[in-house]
Amino acid sequence: MRTLGLGHFTFLDLRPVELVRLARRAGYSFVGLRFNPFAPGQLHYCPQNAAEVRELRRSLEDEDISVYDIETIVLDQTFDLDALQPVIDAAVAVGAERLNICADDWDRAELIDRFAQLCELAATSGLGVDIECMAWRGIDTPGKCVEVIKASGARNAGFLVDALHLHRCGGTAAEVRAMEPGMVVSAQLCDAPATHPTDVAGCIAEARGGRLIPGEGDLDLTSLLAALPDQTAVSVELPMADDPRPPEVRAAAIFRATMSLLGNLP
């Protein structure tokens, strides 16, 4: 049976320490944390000083839970590699393993060069980098993600399988299964209706607040999970903007449903 992690985006209104406590009470084994905003001014929680790092590390130790990945880095024309150093330093300080990114495709050669630089900087701190496709960004298919990884020559990079984005970008479980060994390091689960949103605004709204608990939608999560390599780290990323349940109740419901799905794999 795989262990399961809780992505910060599922409960982005909670501080990291609060998320860690919630995750442990609900049964999760690790968390992802939002240390970098997806756009300037957006909510994130990168520790600002040594005291905040100590508080978070103490919480992780007390709850016997680990940090797996740090989100979200957007690789676009405004990307500033030097400005990312505090995020990387904080990631290392709390024991994180990987960074999550998505990317635009304004100029493929320049994108690949920036991606390679990012991966090199992460590697100097022992971090891996996962890139995911999103339907409203330039890198909007699994194939494009793999192309960027291969062209960069980065050995610490992988394709992040997000169940919603994979489906909305036209990807399939068979495509994931066919990827080269070592390409799929991380996966994020949720469910969704079979019907795609009809415009960019709809896609963004669904991704940021309209996801469903595994088993409550139409995605073939069983086939997707069966296609993942055994060593792939699996977490849930499941923001639900209109769900009125308290975080403790929703976190537990997500955990039960997802672990049931994992437990019923052939």
Side-chain angles (χ1 to χ4, degrees):
M1 176 74 72
R2 294 179 189 268
T3 58
L4 186 65
L6 178 63
H8 205 160
F9 199 20
T10 312
F11 297 99
L12 196 52
D13 56 335
L14 298 182
R15 294 174 56 244
V17 169
E18 296 169 331
L19 184 77
V20 166
R21 293 170 181 160
L22 174 70
R24 173 47 71 201
R25 288 196 298 269
Y28 298 89
S29 299
F30 57 91
V31 296
L33 296 177
R34 175 67 65 89
F35 279 3
N36 199 63
F38 66 82
Q42 296 299 312
L43 190 60
H44 67 290
Y45 297 94
C46 190
Q48 299 300 303
N49 51 56
E52 290 187 6
V53 171
R54 285 195 300 270
E55 180 190 23
L56 181 51
R57 286 182 62 90
R58 188 180 308 113
S59 176
L60 292 164
E61 293 169 2
D62 290 346
E63 302 295 339
D64 190 25
I65 201 167
S66 62
V67 179
Y68 178 69
D69 51 2
I70 299 297
E71 57 182 35
T72 302
I73 299 162
V74 179
L75 202 54
D76 60 13
Q77 287 179 282
T78 68
F79 176 71
D80 182 353
L81 187 64
D82 293 335
L84 193 63
Q85 190 63 57
V87 174
I88 290 179
D89 291 343
V92 172
V94 300
E97 299 179 36
R98 302 189 71 80
L99 307 175
N100 290 353
I101 82 161
C102 57
D104 288 336
D105 197 14
W106 69 98
D107 177 274
R108 182 61 64 88
E110 185 176 351
L111 165 62
I112 291 168
D113 183 59
R114 291 192 185 189
F115 181 76
Q117 292 177 30
L118 169 58
C119 290
E120 183 178 2
L121 178 62
T124 61
S125 296
L127 296 169
V129 177
D130 288 318
I131 182 170
E132 62 182 318
C133 54
M134 294 184 181
W136 62 90
R137 295 202 175 274
I139 300 302
D140 57 1
T141 69
K144 289 182 181 179
C145 290
V146 173
E147 288 171 7
V148 170
I149 292 169
K150 289 185 175 181
S152 73
R155 301 185 65 180
N156 61 328
F159 171 58
L160 172 59
V161 178
D162 179 294
L164 177 69
H165 292 311
L166 180 76
H167 187 267
R168 297 308 190 228
C169 291
T172 65
E175 188 173 4
V176 172
R177 185 185 294 277
M179 290 184 179
E180 296 177 4
M183 185 62 68
V184 180
V185 182
S186 311
Q188 296 174 332
L189 297 184
C190 69
D191 214 332
T195 304
H196 292 234
T198 57
D199 56 16
V200 169
C203 287
I204 293 174
E206 179 184 56
R208 296 179 182 173
R211 304 187 190 211
L212 301 176
I213 292 176
E216 296 184 0
D218 301 310
L219 303 187
D220 186 358
L221 298 178
T222 298
S223 295
L224 179 58
L225 284 167
L228 297 176
D230 291 341
Q231 67 272 21
T232 300
V234 177
S235 61
V236 290
E237 183 175 78
L238 223 163
M240 302 171 70
D242 297 327
D243 194 310
R245 291 174 292 183
E248 294 82 2
V249 175
R250 182 154 57 97
I254 294 169
F255 181 82
R256 288 193 302 269
T258 308
M259 292 304 290
S260 176
L261 183 66
L262 290 167
N264 288 326
L265 288 176

